[in-house]
Amino acid sequence: EWGRIVESVIGTHLINYASKEKFELYYWRDRNDEVDFVLEKDSRIVAIEVKSTFSKNLKGMNAFKKKFNPDKTYLIDNKSMPWKMFLKINPSELF
């Protein structure tokens, strides 16, 4: 349940900035592979995967990278980029 809460908080943060910063926000899924958030602005693509704890399972992110070749990818977890730190940034800086 904690993982869903963290993902919802990150999603809310992204939604709050999407219209103001003029980027599109998507979710991607292909069979069992998924990426939590995909941002698109001026033909640039950023993929974000959210994990409530540290996880080595990035199968969905790897499939997305192979299929779409995003400009940047981010992992939000308690090691790479903690969710509390992510909430302090303007998501347009991710591009």
Side-chain angles (χ1 to χ4, degrees):
E1 184 149 328
W2 177 245
R4 289 189 177 128
I5 293 170
V6 171
E7 193 173 310
S8 295
V9 168
I10 296 299
T12 301
H13 180 66
L14 293 170
I15 289 168
N16 283 336
Y17 276 91
S19 62
K20 183 172 94 170
E21 298 294 334
K22 299 185 181 7
F23 63 83
E24 299 296 321
L25 181 60
Y26 307 100
Y27 163 82
W28 177 79
R29 183 180 185 100
D30 184 18
R31 297 180 190 211
N32 292 328
D33 297 323
E34 68 174 357
V35 171
D36 295 319
F37 302 103
V38 177
L39 287 62
E40 183 178 16
K41 182 176 184 176
D42 301 327
S43 300
R44 291 176 292 168
I45 297 174
V46 171
I48 300 172
E49 183 64 27
V50 179
K51 304 286 186 187
S52 58
T53 61
F54 176 70
S55 175
K56 293 181 181 180
N57 182 6
L58 298 176
K59 186 177 166 243
M61 182 67 83
N62 291 332
F64 185 85
K65 285 163 65 170
K66 188 174 183 179
K67 190 167 187 170
F68 296 102
N69 192 28
D71 296 284
K72 294 185 181 178
T73 60
Y74 296 93
L75 174 61
I76 299 170
D77 65 6
N78 60 3
K79 185 177 180 182
S80 302
M81 180 187 295
W83 66 271
K84 289 180 182 180
M85 187 172 102
F86 183 83
L87 295 178
K88 294 178 182 181
I89 66 169
N90 179 332
S92 66
E93 296 172 15
L94 300 174
F95 291 94

